[in-house]
Amino acid sequence: MIKGIKLELYTRPICSDCQESKKYLSSNRIDYEHKDVSQNIDLERDMKKISGNRIVPLFAFYKKNFWGKKKIIKYFVGFENNKEEILNMLKK
């Protein structure tokens, strides 16, 4: 977790951008919760609630509120096109 921010990464095994995302996060020792949507249909519903679609990879950044409930603060769909903004979120 980065300064109270939690990252959840939604992926599919056949997605090259997803694999690159996981590789980058792991090689830079960035903590994240991996959510493989191919293994759980409920995760696809969660993705639709967050971003309005089912496109992966989906980076969802959360922060816990006063009562301990997580609240989404920012999300990004895709790694390559959003890499700079994702990295800025991870530095916060």
Side-chain angles (χ1 to χ4, degrees), residues 2-68:
I2 303 146
K3 297 184 184 174
I5 296 175
K6 180 181 175 190
L7 170 59
E8 292 182 1
L9 178 62
Y10 294 78
T11 69
R12 286 192 178 85
I14 59 171
C15 166
S16 61
D17 204 23
C18 297
Q19 302 316 310
E20 194 62 35
S21 302
K22 292 188 302 185
K23 182 180 173 183
Y24 179 86
L25 294 171
S26 295
S27 68
N28 286 282
R29 295 185 174 97
I30 297 169
D31 291 330
Y32 67 98
E33 184 175 340
H34 179 233
K35 300 202 174 211
D36 182 349
V37 298
S38 71
Q39 299 295 315
N40 185 339
I41 194 73
D42 291 335
L43 294 177
E44 288 213 16
R45 285 187 219 114
D46 292 346
M47 286 176 51
K48 281 197 89 162
K49 287 180 189 173
I50 294 167
S51 67
N53 62 56
R54 297 175 16 221
I55 300 171
V56 290
L58 172 65
F59 291 78
F61 290 90
Y62 292 91
K63 197 164 192 166
K64 287 195 175 183
N65 66 17
F66 181 74
W67 296 277

